[in-house]
């Protein structure tokens, strides 16, 4: 596709595309429809046509080339994909499914109910069915589910000329040609070589002379998070996947990793917000499923907040003697919760980016003690000054306002430092137990710090106000 076709289209042009396509289909000018679609990129066209009436969408796919139809299909939302397949006849569905890249087809089939997926598998050609079944046999969220079998492999004894001839002959329908894999006669991976080196090397040079042994590979059972880490570490556009005998069985490409990065980030953000991961787009997930995923955490947080009432009941006598202390309860608890939420968010994100290891927990703890103390001093000073200034114009805090101000100032120092420490250490503890640290959500940290914050507050008050207000 030429450079002009790769430029983004203006919004008015995109807004009119559906109207133009609809008009062409209504005139039954299928040749014009096909010509109209030629300059479009599949990624640009898919979201525009996804909400066309099902009859028009089906007509559109009937006139598309097989390659363009498969490309558009992979970019469409799941609901639009399912709607389209219901509108096509069995022969057309089979042709479309057989044309899909193996990794994209696996993702699509994995989203369907088992009985529907089995029906679609039966429509595939024997070779494609075998490929699909082999990929679906791997664990969910594993590298095996994401890999494609469309790669180019050459042998070390070939010359560069022979390798380039082989690439020209067999590379047309491959997922990527950025990397060429070198295997022995048994298909065992020896090395991977950037295609640039083939293009810049003398034609009579042997492939084995291009090898540097500097490569990494994945196992099909590896978790996709591990694959994402390796892509980020080695800055590759594709990584080979080999079995336990180092036999090359597929590759994983960076476009799939971008999808994984988006899904993982979305999942972590949803968990950190105090909800289970939705696993579906927010706008399309069934209402009862969203309520179920959100309710479980809300119930846990509600039960946790009930401990706040228990803690206040324990200090009921102190509250009766010093009613002024109740004025600052929201201030105290929210400050500790905010500090904990800050720390947990920073630590979880730093962990996700690989900025530290679990064995570095003591460094994280040391930093949070220091920063928590500094932040506590800042908020404590502000709280002390606030009470001091108000006491110059009002008697709301009584004759012992200095002691009240000192109580608030010291409590804020302690609770902000405690909240920061809890927010930083709890995600690491959860990770140490083998769970996702994102489950230590900001609301969960805040609830935990609320309860312990009250204990800190009244303990400090007893120490400072004993013999005066208490």
């Amino acid at each position: 596709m030429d450079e002009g076709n790769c430029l983004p289209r203006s919004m008015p042009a995109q807004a009119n595309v559906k109207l133009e396509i609809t008009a062409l289909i209504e005139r039954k000018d299928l040749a014009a429809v096909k010509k109209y679609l030629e300059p479009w990129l599949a990624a640009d066209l898919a979201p525009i046509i996804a909400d066309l009436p099902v009859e028009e969408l089906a007509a559109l796919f009937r006139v598309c080339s097989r390659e363009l139809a498969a490309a558009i299909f992979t970019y469409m939302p799941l609901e639009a994909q399912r709607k389209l397949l219901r509108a096509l006849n069995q022969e057309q569905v089979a042709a479309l499914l057989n044309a899909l890249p193996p990794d994209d087809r696996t993702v699509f089939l994995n989203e369907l109910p088992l009985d529907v997926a089995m029906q679609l598998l039966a429509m595939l050609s024997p070779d494609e069915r075998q490929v699909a079944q082999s990929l679906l046999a791997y664990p969910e969220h594993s590298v095996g589910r994401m890999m494609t079998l469309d790669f180019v492999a050459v042998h070390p004894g070939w010359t560069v000329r022979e390798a380039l001839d082989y690439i020209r002959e067999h590379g047309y329908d491959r997922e990527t040609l950025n990397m060429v894999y070198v295997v022995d006669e048994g298909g065992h991976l020896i090395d991977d070589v950037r295609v640039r080196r083939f293009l810049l090397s003398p034609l009579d040079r042997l492939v084995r002379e291009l090898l540097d042994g500097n490569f990494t590979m994945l196992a099909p059972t590896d978790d996709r998070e591990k694959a994402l880490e390796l892509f980020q570490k080695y800055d590759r556009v594709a990584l080979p996947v080999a079995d336990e005998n180092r036999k090359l069985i597929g590759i994983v490409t960076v476009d799939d990793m971008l999808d994984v990065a988006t899904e993982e980030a979305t999942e972590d953000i949803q968990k950190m917000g105090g909800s289970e991961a939705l696993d579906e787009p927010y706008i399309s997930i069934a209402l009862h499923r969203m309520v179920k995923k959100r309710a479980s955490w809300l119930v846990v947080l509600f039960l946790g907040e009930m401990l706040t009432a228990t803690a206040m009941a324990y200090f009921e006598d102190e509250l009766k003697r010093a009613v002024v202390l109740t004025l600052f309860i929201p201030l105290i608890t929210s400050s500790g919760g905010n500090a904990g939420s800050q720390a947990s968010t920073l630590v979880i994100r730093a962990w996700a980016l690989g900025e530290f290891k679990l064995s570095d927990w003591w460094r994280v703890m040391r930093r949070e003690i220091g920063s928590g103390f500094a932040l506590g001093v800042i908020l404590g000073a502000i709280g002390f000054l606030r009470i001091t200034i108000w006491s110059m114009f009002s008697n709301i805090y009584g004759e012992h306002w200095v002691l009240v101000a000192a109580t608030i100032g010291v409590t804020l120092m302690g609770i902000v430092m405690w909240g920061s420490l809890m927010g930083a250490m709890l995600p690491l503890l959860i990770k140490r137990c083998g769970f996702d640290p994102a489950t230590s959500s900001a609301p969960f940290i805040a609830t935990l710090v609320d309860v312990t914050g009250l204990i800190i507050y009244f303990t400090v008050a007893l120490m400072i106000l004993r013999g005066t207000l208490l």
Side-chain angles (χ1 to χ4, degrees):
M1 185 169 293
D2 60 41
E3 183 179 352
N5 289 335
C6 293
L7 294 175
R9 293 173 179 262
S10 63
M11 291 308 294
Q14 290 190 4
N16 293 329
V17 169
K18 286 189 289 186
L19 294 177
E20 294 178 19
I21 291 177
T22 299
L24 291 173
I25 292 175
E26 288 177 351
R27 293 204 304 266
K28 300 186 183 301
D29 193 348
L30 301 185
V33 173
K34 187 175 182 179
K35 184 177 180 180
Y36 182 83
L37 298 178
E38 284 179 359
W40 281 87
L41 294 173
D44 292 332
L45 192 58
I48 298 174
I49 67 172
D51 57 349
L52 282 175
V54 64
E55 298 81 7
E56 295 180 7
L57 190 61
L60 196 65
F61 268 74
R62 291 189 187 102
V63 300
C64 283
S65 66
R66 183 173 175 179
E67 293 77 13
L68 179 60
I72 294 174
F73 187 82
T74 60
Y75 287 106
M76 291 173 60
L78 177 62
E79 190 56 39
Q81 291 176 331
R82 298 177 68 171
K83 179 177 70 172
L84 172 64
L85 292 187
R86 287 194 292 268
L88 298 176
N89 61 42
Q90 185 169 335
E91 183 179 348
Q92 292 165 341
V93 171
L96 178 58
L97 292 176
N98 279 293
L100 290 177
D103 51 342
D104 293 323
R105 184 172 56 213
T106 302
V107 172
F108 171 65
L109 293 175
N110 190 56
E111 297 292 335
L112 301 176
L114 181 60
D115 57 335
V116 177
M118 294 300 293
Q119 292 176 12
L120 296 180
L121 277 173
M123 297 182 185
L124 296 175
S125 66
D127 290 343
E128 292 296 336
R129 188 185 310 122
Q130 183 177 359
V131 170
Q133 289 174 335
S134 65
L135 296 182
L136 288 168
Y138 291 110
E140 191 173 3
H141 302 312
S142 68
V143 167
R145 285 285 185 99
M146 302 167 50
M147 70 180 182
T148 179
L149 309 186
D150 295 332
F151 58 88
V152 174
V154 300
H155 296 290
W158 291 1
T159 63
V160 170
R161 183 191 301 276
E162 290 173 325
L164 289 174
D165 288 342
Y166 182 83
I167 293 171
R168 292 190 189 95
E169 183 180 352
H170 298 90
Y172 178 76
D173 58 349
R174 296 301 185 251
E175 181 95 0
T176 178
L177 292 178
N178 295 77
M179 302 298 297
V180 176
Y181 301 94
V182 183
V183 297
D184 62 18
E185 295 299 329
H188 302 96
L189 183 63
I190 299 174
D191 204 349
D192 58 8
V193 182
R194 295 184 185 274
V195 74
R196 179 178 60 190
R197 297 198 63 190
F198 285 95
L199 297 175
L200 299 179
S201 297
L203 295 178
D204 58 350
R205 191 175 184 183
L206 292 177
V207 172
R208 66 167 53 93
E209 297 177 23
L210 305 181
L211 309 184
D212 57 11
N214 184 22
F215 74 100
T216 187
M217 61 184 179
L218 296 163
T221 54
D222 285 340
D223 188 85
R224 63 183 189 177
E225 289 187 17
K226 178 182 178 180
L228 185 59
E229 292 173 4
L230 291 179
F231 269 89
Q232 293 172 334
K233 181 177 181 180
Y234 294 106
D235 194 24
R236 295 297 185 94
V237 296
L239 282 177
V241 182
D243 62 16
E244 63 275 8
N245 298 317
R246 291 189 56 158
K247 185 173 182 180
L248 182 62
I249 58 177
I251 63 171
V252 176
T253 53
V254 70
D255 59 320
D256 295 319
M257 285 297 103
L258 292 174
D259 294 336
V260 170
T262 300
E263 291 174 15
E264 292 293 330
T266 301
E267 182 178 311
D268 287 346
I269 290 170
Q270 289 170 348
K271 288 181 178 178
M272 290 169 64
S275 169
E276 293 183 36
L278 297 184
D279 300 324
E280 295 179 51
Y282 169 82
I283 205 68
S284 61
I285 186 172
L287 181 62
H288 72 278
R289 295 198 64 213
M290 183 166 67
V291 170
K292 180 180 179 181
K293 288 180 176 293
R294 295 172 63 177
S296 56
W297 266 110
L298 283 178
V299 170
V300 170
L301 295 172
F302 179 75
L303 294 176
E305 288 289 1
M306 290 177 67
L307 296 175
T308 303
T310 303
M312 292 181 65
Y314 183 80
F315 294 100
E316 182 179 4
D317 293 339
E318 287 76 9
L319 286 173
K320 288 179 180 179
R321 292 196 297 270
V323 179
V324 68
L325 295 179
T326 61
L327 300 176
F328 298 98
I329 290 177
L331 172 70
I332 296 295
T333 56
S334 63
S335 297
N338 291 340
S341 300
Q342 267 190 350
S344 66
T345 302
L346 293 173
V347 168
I348 291 171
R349 188 56 184 164
W351 168 265
L353 295 175
E355 295 178 4
F356 66 88
K357 299 179 181 178
L358 198 58
S359 58
D360 296 325
W361 65 269
W362 60 274
R363 294 177 59 189
V364 177
M365 182 175 71
R366 187 175 63 187
R367 290 182 66 85
E368 286 304 319
I369 289 175
S371 61
F373 177 77
L375 294 168
V377 169
I378 293 171
L379 295 186
I382 294 173
F384 186 91
L385 287 174
R386 192 265 191 198
I387 295 174
T388 300
I389 293 172
W390 254 251
S391 297
M392 294 179 181
F393 306 99
S394 169
N395 194 37
I396 187 173
Y397 302 121
E399 59 180 315
H400 302 291
W401 63 267
V402 175
L403 296 179
V404 173
T407 299
I408 300 304
V410 173
T411 300
L412 283 170
M413 290 173 55
I415 196 172
V416 169
M417 186 167 66
W418 171 248
S420 298
L421 192 60
M422 287 281 288
M425 292 293 101
L426 190 59
L428 301 186
L429 178 62
I430 290 175
K431 179 63 180 179
R432 182 66 181 85
C433 295
F435 300 103
D436 187 350
T439 55
S440 58
S441 62
F444 180 70
I445 296 289
T447 301
L448 208 57
V449 175
D450 283 354
V451 178
T452 54
L454 287 175
I455 298 174
I456 293 173
Y457 180 32
F458 288 113
T459 301
V460 172
L462 284 172
M463 293 172 59
I464 295 178
L465 298 176
R466 188 183 298 276
T468 54
L469 291 178
L470 297 179

